[in-house]
Amino acid sequence: MFEEHLLTHGVTADQIISINFEDFDFAHLTNPQNLYAYIKEGLQSDRQNYLFLDEIQNVADFQKVVDSIFLKDNVDIYMTSSNAHLLSGELATYLTGRYVTIEMLPLSFREFVTAHGLENRLAQAYRQYIETSSFPFVAIGDLEPSLISDYMESLYHTLLLKDVVARKKIIDVMMLERVIRFMADNIGNELSTKKISDTMTSMGRKINVRTVESYINGFMEAYLLYQTKRYDIKGKQHLKTQKKYYFVDIGLRNYMLSETSFSDVGHVLENVIYLELIRRGYNVSVGKIDKVEVDFVAQNLDGLVYYQVAATVRDEATLQRELRSLQKIPDNYPKYLLTLDEDPAADFEGIRKMNALDFLMGKN
């Protein structure tokens, strides 16, 4: 899209070098010497150049090539990678302070609704959103269920086998799959590496804590899994224990569990809200105050916002329980209670209760 933008705003085709390293036509360029020679030959000496390198991690020692090209005054470089390995290690050292990272997520609920024209049928749209997928190929492709399943299988194996197994050199793939499925079944629950290790061991497959930690790091580097730490609201500091994990896409999670389950609708909603807060540029933590928990503490340069998430609070006891956590917070930052209840927005002594789908549509 950006290449097209450049071409319609005065940039000529010979100023753009675009290479997709998953395209076999460019297989010879995965050699760093060949890549450098190819790029250097294509550069225009008297004009600005735009270099697009897609899936750059497929090139051996790509960091050295990029750094050499980066030294030239008339080159803008754009790189993509499907995992967080891109700016780790040597490249981060070479380009410290000279790059901007943009992390991408699948489609938001609002984007999904807009693509399908479902602005007046949000409940239907939400069910479709979490049953199928938020990945663009599925979300806007209007695919048959069998094709969605095939795509999810392909995506799962790409993320797990290519981005985790191959790069981490993991031998016990079956254990890796057991761990990721366990975590898929426990989104929104407090987990520790020891708890995961003990659970796997109790199921007859022994695994140590260090291996579990390595697996989780691999899932996170592949952007399959997101980790959120606990935050002591009174002490204003992060805690080291009992983190929570959320999946990049509920449809992919459904595939891993071999089912579309609404028995944990609250945790699914929590997962969707978490990703939305990340999209909006917040740093997100799980809040702890005294012995109760606040689902999300969202922080940016403007301050904090607190969110409690529940599928429904129409039962008075449930409503009071969900409000209690927010009521304990002594500061005056905004506080929200988000639910799937199709009720008018309400205010409880400064705590705003609103429909979660309206929130996801940006109506807050």
Side-chain angles (χ1 to χ4, degrees):
M1 289 171 62
F2 188 51
E3 288 180 43
E4 292 175 3
H5 171 81
L6 292 173
L7 291 170
T8 58
H9 286 76
V11 175
T12 58
D14 62 352
Q15 292 175 257
I16 298 174
I17 300 174
S18 183
I19 305 169
N20 182 348
F21 292 102
E22 290 190 327
D23 186 338
F24 197 72
D25 287 342
F26 297 111
H28 63 292
L29 298 183
T30 56
N31 175 284
Q33 287 79 19
N34 292 347
L35 176 61
Y36 182 76
Y38 178 87
I39 294 172
K40 188 176 179 181
E41 182 180 352
L43 294 178
Q44 306 299 311
S45 60
D46 58 338
R47 286 170 291 164
Q48 185 69 19
N49 296 273
Y50 301 88
L51 178 60
F52 295 88
L53 304 172
D54 196 12
E55 300 295 345
I56 185 64
Q57 77 280 355
N58 291 323
V59 179
D61 292 326
F62 71 88
Q63 301 93 338
K64 296 176 182 178
V65 177
V66 171
D67 186 51
S68 296
I69 299 297
F70 199 79
L71 295 175
K72 302 181 183 301
D73 294 330
N74 63 336
V75 183
D76 278 350
I77 304 176
Y78 302 86
M79 297 176 288
T80 74
S81 173
S82 57
N83 60 59
H85 187 61
L86 176 62
L87 286 174
S88 65
E90 289 185 66
L91 185 60
T93 301
Y94 287 142
L95 301 183
T96 298
R98 295 186 290 162
Y99 63 84
V100 174
T101 303
I102 301 173
E103 293 190 357
M104 300 295 292
L105 282 162
L107 296 184
S108 68
F109 178 67
R110 183 177 181 178
E111 290 168 331
F112 181 90
V113 168
T114 303
H116 288 279
L118 295 172
E119 289 85 350
N120 297 320
R121 291 175 287 172
L122 293 186
Q124 174 191 334
Y126 179 72
R127 187 179 183 99
Q128 188 175 335
Y129 183 70
I130 63 175
E131 280 185 342
T132 55
S133 175
S134 59
F135 282 105
F137 183 76
V138 174
I140 62 177
D142 197 24
L143 303 177
E144 294 292 328
S146 60
L147 292 178
I148 293 176
S149 179
D150 289 345
Y151 179 73
M152 288 291 106
E153 181 178 8
S154 172
L155 195 62
Y156 170 72
H157 286 293
T158 297
L159 288 169
L160 200 72
L161 300 180
K162 179 181 174 184
D163 286 351
V164 181
V165 173
R167 197 162 55 78
K168 290 284 186 178
K169 296 180 174 59
I170 291 170
I171 298 174
D172 193 346
V173 178
M174 185 177 294
M175 176 58 80
L176 182 79
E177 291 190 283
R178 287 186 180 217
V179 172
I180 193 61
R181 288 195 174 110
F182 175 79
M183 299 187 78
D185 202 27
N186 282 275
I187 54 170
N189 290 329
E190 292 183 351
L191 292 176
S192 66
T193 51
K194 186 177 187 309
K195 180 177 180 179
I196 297 170
S197 172
D198 289 346
T199 301
M200 295 298 107
T201 301
S202 69
M203 295 167 62
R205 293 296 303 274
K206 189 172 182 179
I207 181 174
N208 62 51
V209 169
R210 187 168 296 178
T211 302
V212 171
E213 186 175 340
S214 176
Y215 286 1
I216 292 175
N217 287 337
F219 300 148
M220 292 168 58
E221 289 172 0
Y223 293 111
L224 180 61
L225 200 66
Y226 288 78
Q227 179 192 85
T228 181
K229 298 178 180 179
R230 295 167 71 229
Y231 179 77
D232 184 343
I233 295 173
K234 283 187 175 179
K236 299 187 184 303
Q237 62 180 348
H238 282 98
L239 305 172
K240 294 182 179 180
T241 58
Q242 298 296 318
K243 301 174 180 67
K244 287 190 175 184
Y245 297 89
Y246 298 98
F247 264 76
V248 68
D249 176 67
I250 294 299
L252 185 58
R253 171 186 180 259
N254 294 339
Y255 170 80
M256 290 181 188
L257 298 178
S258 302
E259 62 182 4
T260 302
S261 173
F262 290 90
S263 60
D264 57 351
V265 62
H267 280 155
V268 168
L269 177 62
E270 196 177 310
N271 199 122
V272 172
I273 296 295
Y274 171 81
L275 293 177
E276 179 64 20
L277 294 174
I278 296 296
R279 284 188 186 91
R280 296 185 186 186
Y282 287 105
N283 292 316
V284 184
S285 306
V286 176
K288 174 186 175 298
I289 183 163
D290 297 332
K291 294 184 179 181
V292 297
E293 180 181 284
V294 176
D295 287 327
F296 299 124
V297 180
Q299 187 171 13
N300 61 15
L301 294 177
D302 296 326
L304 301 173
V305 186
Y306 302 102
Y307 294 94
Q308 197 73 357
V309 182
T312 178
V313 292
R314 284 181 172 164
D315 175 74
E316 183 63 24
T318 303
L319 172 62
Q320 294 305 319
R321 184 184 70 242
E322 298 295 342
L323 289 173
R324 193 174 302 123
S325 300
L326 298 173
Q327 289 168 339
K328 282 181 169 289
I329 301 173
D331 61 48
N332 294 316
Y333 286 114
K335 302 174 181 68
Y336 289 88
L337 173 57
L338 305 177
T339 80
L340 291 175
D341 296 329
E342 296 182 358
D343 300 327
D347 188 280
F348 297 89
E349 298 179 349
I351 300 171
R352 188 178 181 194
K353 174 184 170 292
M354 67 179 297
N355 180 266
L357 304 188
D358 288 338
F359 170 81
L360 291 169
M361 291 297 292
K363 297 179 182 180
N364 53 306

